[in-house]
Amino acid sequence: MKKLITLCIFAMALLFSNQDVTAQNTLEINEVANTKTKELRKKIKFEQNKMDDVYKAYQAYGIAYKKISGNLEGNKDRLEKIEKVLDEKLKTILTPEQYHNYLELIRGL
């Protein structure tokens, strides 16, 4: 009986620690998305109402990037794909001039 209780406590501890790691990753992704949005807004000067959409695009990029960040060499195709998705989302959000400035600043094109 004592071993069963110890096993249950150990299993619960693992579950709680896993949730903490997930929450920490989410907070890091949100912080990076917020920072990148603010930096991009300073450089490109887009409107406040577009800021939320840009933040959500960077947040989605951060989540996808986090999934492959452990093996970037093996996931070059996936990295290119998520960068392309980010670019396409920003293309729909920003004006053509702003998007062109984004490509020059961020992608170096």
Side-chain angles (χ1 to χ4, degrees), residues 2 8 24 26 31 46 58 62 67 76 78 95 109:
K2 189 175 182 181
C8 290
Q24 185 177 7
T26 304
E31 183 180 333
F46 53 84
Y58 271 115
K67 289 178 182 178
K76 285 184 180 181
R78 289 184 71 190
T95 65
L109 301 175

Side-chain angles (χ1 to χ4, degrees), residues 22-107:
T22 304
Q24 185 177 7
N25 287 341
T26 304
L27 289 174
E28 289 173 5
I29 291 169
N30 291 343
E31 183 180 333
V32 170
N34 188 31
T35 303
K36 289 188 179 231
T37 301
K38 287 180 180 180
E39 288 175 3
L40 192 61
R41 185 164 187 230
K42 286 179 186 177
K43 294 177 182 178
I44 296 181
K45 309 282 189 221
F46 53 84
E47 297 83 21
Q48 178 71 29
N49 58 355
K50 292 182 181 183
M51 198 166 172
D52 289 336
D53 295 332
V54 172
Y55 172 78
K56 288 176 185 174
Y58 271 115
Q59 191 178 35
Y61 172 81
I63 291 168
Y65 184 84
K66 192 73 167 178
K67 289 178 182 178
I68 66 167
S69 64
N71 182 14
L72 290 177
E73 287 295 319
N75 291 314
K76 285 184 180 181
D77 293 337
R78 289 184 71 190
L79 180 60
E80 289 176 10
K81 183 179 178 182
I82 63 172
E83 286 177 351
K84 184 178 179 182
V85 169
L86 174 66
D87 290 346
E88 291 298 319
K89 283 183 183 179
L90 291 178
K91 186 175 185 177
T92 61
I93 296 167
L94 302 173
T95 65
E97 182 181 328
Q98 290 170 336
Y99 181 70
H100 178 73
N101 290 341
Y102 159 77
L103 288 177
E104 286 181 345
L105 290 169
I106 304 300
R107 300 285 181 229

